[in-house]
Amino acid sequence: MAHDAKQQSATARRSSALSGTARVPGDKSISHRSFMFGGLASGETRITGLLEGEDVMRTGEAMKAMGAHITKTGDEWVIRGTGNGALLEPAAPLDFGNAGTGSRLTMGLVGTYDMETTFIGDASLQSRPMGRVLDPLREMGVQVLKSAAGDRMPLTLRGPKVAAPISYRVPMASAQVKSAVLLAGLNTPGITTVIEPVMTRDHTEKMLKGFGANLEVETDSQGVRHIRIEGQGRLAGQVIAVPGDPSSAGFPLVAALIVPGSDITIENVLMNPTRTGLLLTLQEMGGSIEILNPRSAGGEDVADLRVRGSELRGVTVPPERAPSMIDEYPVLAVAAAFAEGETLMEGLDELRVKESDRLSAVANGLKANSIDCTEGEASLVVRGRPGGKGLGGGTVETHLDHRIAMAFLVLGLAAEKPVTIDDASMIATSFPEFMGLMRGLGAEIEFAAEAAG
Ligand code: S3P
């Protein structure tokens, strides 16, 4: 399935100091889960701050197709869920567009139901591996009736009469895989256990507990997490305020660091420690980021971030930090392009299976803009040029990947020459307000049609 929106190129130019205050949209991971768990729970769920990006809206449509009632009144989304175990067979394939999180978590959520569900998506999603979710589901009794070669979408699942609980050790650092198994456990009698050797974002655990699931987490002496969920319990609707997405905040944040003289504040950013790897790394690089007004909201830590233009220096980012900043490497690579010396990033194997092969997409984008870098099997070295002299002037292929698009527009704000991306339309999957928000801070970014007109 092709992406709906027309491809539209965009260009970013060297800008003068960024300033002002901004709020990034709601966290994508929490927004997907809010629609899913609200759609499943009994009673009413009310959500404010939801990310209204294309990916999350696809999850909402899928939940509606399975019986949830979802409306929006003013700023608030109101959901009446089906009750745990009571999702309906969708009449048509569920189209997840570009959304890996939406599709993989939903496979877990409905795979164990005694019904047929078909999953479809765009060219990027069809190229992504789904076996990582299908393998544990098969162990629980789920049949994969159809799939494209290599366990890829489009695919059709059929659940058993009664699913079997399993104990599953997640073989890669993936919150999506962990979550898919836990959600399958919701519709399975007995205790389903997920063993997580490397901790990843814990929104599923925290939110399911909030909805009333009987879920417990134990961390053993080796630091391995054992997450147990009891199936077939009652989930009750909740009131949720979704905090700002730290992954989206990364774009204005790095922009302010690399554009000299900038001084911006980004309000209400999620500070869950499983998501703050980029902040830590940029601070190690000498970035001036002040964490203001730290507070707790709806069970999550949030804060405002004051960011000022900074002279950055290269660092080594250890592989064990990857899960806490897995979506942030493209924009970190851009920050590294302006740092003194070399930045080494390791443990990047999972970047190869994101919306694009992000490791090669980043390396190619950097090279197209005269940035010296070396792409390894699972690593990237970027040799920076403080001041950005000689950088830019290239066109970046975004490969249907929103984060590649946004990261390279940020590059253009501080490079000597303009940077063009081939397609800005995918930005709407996670950060529809990006262009307007960045311009509001003083960024010179425009779509090709605007430049021509
Ligand atoms: C997500 C998990 C991560 C991340 C994605 C959102 C989630 O994917 O990259 O953007 O909400 O669970 P993986 O589980 O593939 O690492």
Side-chain angles (χ1 to χ4, degrees):
M1 191 130 321
H3 176 56
D4 299 345
K6 273 220 303 294
Q7 192 163 321
Q8 192 178 29
S9 68
T11 298
R13 288 164 213 286
R14 186 166 245 192
S15 303
S16 29
L18 305 181
S19 64
T21 298
R23 262 181 187 240
V24 290
D27 185 67
K28 182 152 78 76
S29 294
I30 295 178
S31 295
H32 276 299
R33 288 161 173 82
S34 298
F35 263 165
M36 278 180 206
F37 305 166
L40 185 67
S42 302
E44 199 171 83
T45 289
R46 294 178 168 272
I47 312 166
T48 49
L50 186 92
L51 165 63
E52 296 180 3
E54 287 173 9
D55 278 13
V56 173
M57 292 302 122
R58 301 270 183 175
T59 293
E61 289 305 314
M63 294 309 295
K64 278 199 221 169
M66 295 186 293
H69 189 266
I70 303 182
T71 53
K72 191 177 179 197
T73 313
D75 288 342
E76 193 175 53
W77 288 85
V78 181
I79 308 182
R80 259 188 292 114
T82 59
N84 186 22
L87 291 171
L88 303 174
E89 183 165 59
L94 303 177
D95 185 351
F96 280 96
N98 193 248
T101 306
S103 57
R104 291 199 178 115
L105 267 59
T106 304
M107 285 176 201
L109 190 71
V110 306
T112 55
Y113 278 68
D114 183 13
M115 63 189 196
E116 266 183 37
T117 318
T118 296
F119 293 80
I120 60 175
D122 72 5
S124 155
L125 193 54
Q126 283 182 35
S127 72
R128 301 181 67 183
M130 296 296 151
R132 52 180 56 201
V133 169
L134 301 182
D135 287 343
L137 291 181
R138 285 182 174 110
E139 284 184 36
M140 299 177 87
V142 179
Q143 282 177 275
V144 181
L145 295 183
K146 279 185 229 144
S147 69
D151 273 344
R152 284 179 164 74
M153 284 163 66
L155 60 84
T156 302
L157 303 183
R158 153 126 244 146
K161 286 267 178 276
V162 181
I166 57 170
S167 175
Y168 191 71
R169 191 179 178 93
V170 184
M172 69 289 288
S174 168
Q176 292 178 359
V177 175
K178 162 177 68 178
S179 302
V181 178
L182 291 173
L183 298 184
L186 280 177
N187 187 47
T188 302
I191 308 284
T192 296
T193 305
V194 174
I195 300 168
E196 187 179 47
V198 179
M199 185 171 182
T200 61
R201 66 191 69 197
D202 59 354
H203 308 302
T204 298
E205 298 92 303
K206 280 186 153 178
M207 290 178 69
L208 280 180
K209 264 179 125 125
F211 275 83
N214 189 2
L215 180 147
E216 56 184 51
V217 183
E218 203 187 302
T219 305
D220 70 20
S221 55
Q222 254 84 86
V224 176
R225 297 173 83 232
H226 299 251
I227 311 158
R228 299 185 189 87
I229 187 163
E230 186 180 350
Q232 301 183 323
R234 185 173 188 278
L235 301 181
Q238 295 298 300
V239 175
I240 301 171
V242 183
D245 194 325
S247 301
S248 297
F251 300 106
L253 200 162
V254 167
L257 288 177
I258 62 177
V259 174
S262 296
D263 186 351
I264 70 164
T265 301
I266 313 170
E267 292 178 335
N268 194 40
V269 180
L270 174 69
M271 294 291 284
N272 179 313
T274 64
R275 302 288 300 281
T276 49
L278 177 71
L279 270 188
L280 176 64
T281 304
L282 291 170
Q283 284 175 329
E284 287 175 359
M285 292 172 80
S288 167
I289 307 170
E290 263 179 89
I291 298 170
L292 304 175
N293 194 14
R295 55 203 184 268
S296 175
E300 288 286 4
D301 294 337
V302 296
D304 306 327
L305 305 177
R306 181 169 179 197
V307 190
R308 278 174 274 197
S310 304
E311 285 175 12
L312 302 175
R313 50 183 181 273
V315 293
T316 293
V317 189
E320 60 275 11
R321 198 177 292 166
S324 68
M325 54 179 295
I326 193 64
D327 292 334
E328 281 67 85
Y329 285 99
V331 80
L332 175 64
V334 168
F338 296 89
E340 179 77 52
E342 225 175 64
T343 296
L344 166 62
M345 307 164 218
E346 292 176 298
L348 305 188
D349 27 318
E350 280 293 307
L351 287 197
R352 299 252 179 230
V353 290
K354 293 294 175 190
E355 285 81 333
S356 65
D357 174 345
R358 265 188 195 154
L359 193 40
S360 75
V362 168
N364 292 338
L366 294 174
K367 285 178 197 153
N369 288 289
S370 306
I371 295 156
D372 185 10
C373 66
T374 307
E375 174 187 350
E377 198 52 48
S379 65
L380 182 66
V381 180
V382 179
R383 293 169 203 93
R385 205 177 295 174
K389 193 150 175 44
L391 304 187
T395 297
V396 175
E397 286 183 52
T398 51
H399 302 281
L400 295 175
D401 189 329
H402 55 133
R403 297 201 202 280
I404 298 297
M406 290 184 277
F408 281 97
L409 287 175
V410 169
L411 171 69
L413 303 179
E416 187 182 12
K417 290 171 261 177
V419 173
T420 296
I421 59 166
D422 64 351
D423 183 15
S425 66
M426 300 311 291
I427 293 173
T429 62
S430 71
F431 196 166
E433 303 86 339
F434 175 79
M435 298 293 267
L437 183 146
M438 295 299 293
R439 284 174 180 168
L441 296 171
E444 288 192 38
I445 308 184
E446 61 198 358
F447 291 112
E450 295 171 316

